[in-house]
Amino acid sequence: MPSKVLENGTVITFDDATKSVRVLPRASILIVNDRIAAITDNADDLSIPPDAEIINVEGKIVSPGFVNTHVHMWQSVFRTLAPDIVLAQYFDWLSQMSSTATKHFTPETVYVSCLEGYLEGLNAGVTSYVDHAHNNWGRDIVKPGYEAAVDSGARVWWCYDVTVNNEKFPEMEQWKTFSGIAKEPAPSRIQFGLSLDGLAGEFSTDTEIHLNNLKNATKEMNLTAITMHHMAGPWPQGNSSPSLITSQNIHTTNIPIIFSHASFLTTDDMSALNQHNLFVSITPESECHYGHGQATGHLISPQASLGVDTAFTFSGDMLSQARLWLQTVRNTNYRKTLDAGLIPNKTPMKVEQAFLLATRQGGLALRRPDIGVLQVGAKADIVVFNGDAPNMLGWSDPVAAVILHANSGDIQHVLVDGQFRKRDFKLSGEGVKWSWDDVKSRFVEAARAIQPLVKTPVPAPEKLWGIAEMGDVDVASTVVG
Ligand SMILES: [Zn+2]
């Protein structure tokens, strides 16, 4: 692959010495193979290989790619279903636990749903994903989800959720299927991980078997990430709290663990995250949308990253998540001062912190300091914002422009491993199998086939999973009188 030079852009780098963003107002990036070989604000310093492609990015903002540390790609085909539901309805309606939804999926539906989901993210500058792949209800729909990750051209930690208690696709058969996939040759941008919602139940003999299987798998399969949902608070208590997980010696496998949502962390949980360098994935829009709540995420920012969750029913981009989380933290912390009858005297969170949560912190959650940053030696996962649209025009602070003003339509180029995935505002893969037009028609066909079959929401249960109390919610009215 010929080298590339992104020439004369405003480059958002990260300074390890100050642990903060450093902006180079007019700098060039040399990409050799899949990595950044040089970043310089003096073009004369650059020894450009003769065959290098020069891409002029003058006047544009060059940012690291965004890292989405929690998503379920297989559901993309449900897009716009469930705009007004709570989480307790989702489980029985459109989740992997709902056979009324999953029975309509063919291998093609899973494949094209996942592929389109990755392309939605790539179009919006999301270059890395932790896919909590719970397309696990049948033996023929596992691999198509994985193949979509490979074919997408995105960087994916494909974390298969080995579910328990599925008679049609028993746990041991799932391990076999998963390990078979993990043994196949894969591009280096695909990493294998595990999702562990099976631990959500009470500790039992089954859980011990599950944990032993996990420990064996991490040794045999070269797994590089573990992720699991965790909420606590009023939600049914499982075994996925950071304090409990670290007490089970899973962390001694030295694999990064990401707890998605982690809405109600205890002091012990936060200590466990710090002590073992484990991360949470806050998914702001999901937690607002469904009512998970997010009571403690703002207290654990050094061990936090950001994710999307069920992108079919809200934004699939990280700009929206970073912006929503920034303003959520501000609102939460301002309220404390206001409730004391006082006027806030400083901002609780800066845009730079939101930017880092959506980029570098995702890399750190995966223990990959070469992901989510523009530095020499880092992976060449790069997003170029064109700043000429009315919503960005006149920008002088590139981080503020990205976090507070940009949308995916402002993204001109996206590169993963130094290869274009979006070029001149259009999805177009260098060395990938898909064409957007083909994905588009297949996805529309799949969405039109499946949505009428599953479109009716189920009512909220009287008790969640028969055990947790439900409560009334104040409902807004937009009608006067
Ligand atoms: Zn989730």
Side-chain angles (χ1 to χ4, degrees):
M1 183 174 74
S3 303
K4 293 185 177 78
V5 178
L6 299 174
E7 198 171 60
N8 291 333
T10 295
V11 178
I12 306 173
T13 64
F14 186 80
D15 187 331
D16 286 326
T18 61
K19 297 266 179 258
S20 60
V21 158
R22 183 164 168 237
V23 174
L24 303 175
R26 189 179 168 84
S28 298
I29 299 178
L30 172 64
I31 300 164
V32 177
N33 298 320
D34 59 341
R35 293 200 182 258
I36 295 173
I39 303 177
T40 177
D41 46 14
N42 183 355
D44 296 341
D45 287 351
L46 222 49
S47 71
I48 300 173
D51 65 339
E53 182 186 2
I54 312 290
I55 300 121
N56 179 13
V57 290
E58 194 167 356
K60 302 177 195 298
I61 297 167
V62 186
S63 161
F66 297 95
V67 183
N68 172 359
T69 55
H70 184 64
V71 70
H72 310 288
M73 280 306 185
W74 66 270
Q75 297 172 315
S76 304
V77 76
F78 291 148
R79 185 165 290 131
T80 72
L81 295 185
D84 302 312
I85 63 157
V86 291
L87 192 62
Q89 289 169 277
Y90 158 83
F91 290 127
D92 288 339
W93 181 24
L94 295 172
S95 84
Q96 83 287 357
M97 293 181 277
S98 161
S99 62
T100 52
T102 59
K103 71 181 179 189
H104 301 297
F105 277 79
T106 65
E108 160 71 5
T109 322
V110 171
Y111 176 81
V112 79
S113 188
C114 290
L115 181 57
E116 202 276 349
Y118 289 119
L119 298 194
E120 178 194 12
L122 284 169
N123 185 54
V126 187
T127 51
S128 290
Y129 302 81
V130 177
D131 190 348
H132 184 134
H134 50 32
N135 47 302
N136 57 9
W137 58 88
R139 55 184 63 76
D140 60 340
I141 49 79
V142 179
K143 199 165 180 194
Y146 166 72
E147 286 171 339
V150 174
D151 292 351
S152 70
R155 187 177 307 289
V156 181
W157 276 257
W158 194 74
C159 298
Y160 179 68
D161 184 338
V162 180
T163 185
V164 290
N165 304 327
N166 180 351
E167 283 172 17
K168 288 185 189 159
F169 191 28
E171 181 181 350
M172 291 318 294
E173 200 181 329
Q174 291 184 57
W175 282 111
K176 209 170 142 195
T177 303
F178 179 44
S179 69
I181 290 171
K183 278 178 195 147
E184 292 179 10
S188 63
R189 61 183 166 71
I190 301 295
Q191 299 284 316
F192 291 97
L194 267 180
S195 301
L196 279 185
D197 282 357
L199 290 181
E202 295 302 313
F203 269 112
S204 65
T205 317
D206 279 357
T207 308
E208 278 176 28
I209 294 168
H210 203 59
L211 281 175
N212 279 333
N213 289 338
L214 160 72
K215 286 174 187 170
N216 292 336
T218 53
K219 281 184 217 138
E220 287 167 16
M221 279 193 261
N222 195 23
L223 300 179
T224 56
I226 294 172
T227 188
M228 63 194 83
H229 291 104
H230 175 65
M231 292 206 283
W235 300 92
Q237 302 293 314
N239 299 304
S240 53
S241 75
S243 49
L244 194 55
I245 290 294
T246 50
S247 74
Q248 294 299 310
N249 293 327
I250 294 175
H251 63 289
T252 57
T253 57
N254 216 14
I255 294 177
I257 303 179
I258 298 173
F259 298 89
S260 40
H261 313 306
S263 304
F264 297 90
L265 292 169
T266 63
T267 311
D268 284 349
D269 290 333
M270 288 192 254
S271 301
L273 293 169
N274 282 318
Q275 193 187 339
H276 300 288
N277 190 26
L278 306 178
F279 275 68
V280 300
S281 177
I282 297 164
T283 63
E285 197 163 5
S286 176
E287 289 145 21
C288 288
H289 183 92
Y290 290 116
H292 302 69
Q294 183 46 273
T296 49
H298 63 296
L299 303 175
I300 192 78
S301 296
Q303 301 302 130
S305 61
L306 296 179
V308 167
D309 200 16
T310 60
F312 72 91
T313 190
F314 37 70
S315 324
D317 68 290
M318 296 299 292
L319 293 171
S320 299
Q321 304 309 326
R323 192 171 301 155
L324 187 55
W325 182 238
L326 171 69
Q327 305 298 22
T328 299
V329 173
R330 287 177 172 178
N331 187 44
T332 303
N333 288 10
Y334 283 144
R335 278 291 296 274
K336 272 193 229 163
T337 311
L338 293 164
D339 287 348
L342 299 168
I343 308 297
N345 64 1
K346 57 179 161 302
T347 189
M349 184 182 259
K350 294 184 174 174
V351 289
E352 176 178 333
Q353 291 169 292
F355 179 80
L356 291 173
L357 281 164
T359 53
R360 178 172 180 264
Q361 302 254 138
L364 296 182
L366 292 155
R367 298 193 187 157
R368 286 290 300 268
D370 61 337
I371 302 288
V373 287
L374 297 183
Q375 288 179 321
V376 173
K379 285 285 191 180
D381 296 352
I382 302 174
V383 178
V384 177
F385 288 85
N386 177 42
D388 287 352
N391 52 305
M392 288 184 78
L393 197 66
W395 65 268
S396 53
D397 176 339
V399 178
V402 167
I403 292 297
L404 295 177
H405 298 275
N407 61 56
S408 56
D410 298 307
I411 294 176
Q412 185 168 355
H413 307 306
V414 177
L415 297 96
V416 177
D417 271 348
Q419 292 188 300
F420 280 102
R421 299 294 180 245
K422 183 180 187 183
R423 184 161 197 168
D424 289 323
F425 304 99
K426 288 200 173 92
L427 281 167
S428 64
E430 244 181 313
V432 294
K433 289 179 182 170
W434 49 262
S435 78
W436 170 238
D437 283 345
D438 176 54
V439 176
K440 194 162 65 174
S441 58
R442 285 165 68 183
F443 182 80
V444 167
E445 191 179 328
R448 286 187 182 152
I450 206 163
Q451 290 194 9
L453 303 174
V454 298
K455 70 178 179 186
T456 310
V458 301
E462 286 194 13
K463 286 190 175 187
L464 179 60
W465 299 325
I467 48 174
E469 295 293 338
M470 307 283 290
D472 274 341
V473 175
D474 283 346
V475 176
S477 172
T478 50
V479 179
V480 178

